[in-house]
Amino acid sequence: MNTGTVEGPDGRLRCPWGLSAPEYLAYHDEEWGRRVHGDDALFERLSLEAFQSGLSWITILRRRENFRAAFAGFKIAAVAEFTGEDRERLLADAGIIRNRAKIDATLGNARALADWAPGELSTLIWSYAPAPGSLPAPRTTDDVPAITDESTALSGALKKRGLRFIGPTTAYALMQACGLVDDHLVACIARGAAGRAGKGGDRGAGPEKP
């Protein structure tokens, strides 16, 4: 469906999804499309995008604090040490998504990432960001892709390094959410936010990239 920006309660134009549920407004304005750096912060986003697969993002957003509590704030070093008892705890936690494959992938990804050098995850992910200004600004939601060459390449690179549940579509959702691309519609008030850090965008370790 060809959908352009929609006027919000403050009279300003936003991407239509940003007004589709109350929880989306702050996420759209303050987080989505803003730069996220740091290994732990990106591990969190990567994990949540994987949990979102097959579901709506609002389902994850409404449970985000539960996820953070269940997964030790998504600190890679902490999650990598989770035991079989922790796994059973997660599978019984009604506050998150109790999907066995996704939980196992998150735990396995943390164990794999624990062997990476500090900042390595952040550097790898950001190496797949398109050059600033190289992509046309979407005018409607029809102009926003679900997958790109860069997301396919990023997915392949992460899988090659042992990470799971990160297909090209999930990789592109990660790129959108973390500011590697700016898919706010051209008339949206948040267009251009990709050049700024989002709320909580500097959580975790790892170098800040230009």
Side-chain angles (χ1 to χ4, degrees):
M1 183 173 64
N2 190 309
T3 305
T5 48
V6 177
E7 185 175 309
D10 56 2
R12 298 192 293 174
L13 296 176
R14 291 176 173 84
C15 301
W17 65 266
L19 297 168
S20 62
E23 295 89 348
Y24 272 148
L25 187 60
Y27 178 71
H28 170 275
D29 288 3
E30 301 173 15
E31 294 189 64
W32 194 79
R34 293 178 182 257
R35 290 184 177 183
V36 175
H37 293 283
D39 294 345
D40 289 341
L42 285 167
F43 172 61
E44 174 181 340
R45 299 300 183 92
L46 186 155
S47 300
L48 293 180
E49 293 293 350
F51 272 103
Q52 185 271 336
S53 179
L55 304 171
S56 65
W57 179 247
I58 194 66
T59 301
I60 304 301
L61 193 60
R62 287 170 174 164
R63 293 167 169 78
R64 182 160 60 168
E65 292 308 317
N66 295 336
F67 273 106
R68 286 173 171 169
F71 284 95
F74 288 99
K75 300 296 184 184
I76 294 171
V79 179
E81 296 296 325
F82 275 19
T83 65
E85 290 183 0
D86 289 307
R87 179 177 180 273
E88 293 305 312
R89 169 180 58 80
L90 294 168
L91 288 169
D93 190 343
I96 63 170
I97 304 300
R98 293 178 289 180
N99 181 292
R100 187 180 303 273
K102 294 176 181 180
I103 288 172
D104 286 345
T106 302
L107 300 182
N109 289 347
R111 294 180 187 119
L113 291 170
D115 292 331
W116 293 26
E120 191 171 356
L121 176 63
S122 185
T123 298
L124 186 150
I125 288 175
W126 275 92
S127 72
Y128 288 90
S134 65
L135 301 177
R139 295 186 175 277
T140 72
T141 53
D142 281 354
D143 298 328
V144 179
I147 183 175
T148 64
D149 290 344
E150 291 86 357
S151 75
T152 300
L154 173 57
S155 170
L158 291 170
K159 287 180 178 179
K160 187 175 181 179
R161 297 291 302 273
L163 272 64
R164 294 182 286 157
F165 238 103
I166 180 72
T169 302
T170 298
Y172 192 66
L174 176 75
M175 294 172 73
Q176 291 174 305
C178 297
L180 280 75
V181 296
D182 186 354
D183 274 346
H184 284 286
L185 302 186
V186 67
C188 176
I189 61 164
R191 178 74 192 175
R196 302 187 292 275
K199 188 168 84 174
D202 291 325
R203 295 173 68 239
E208 185 76 16
K209 305 296 286 186

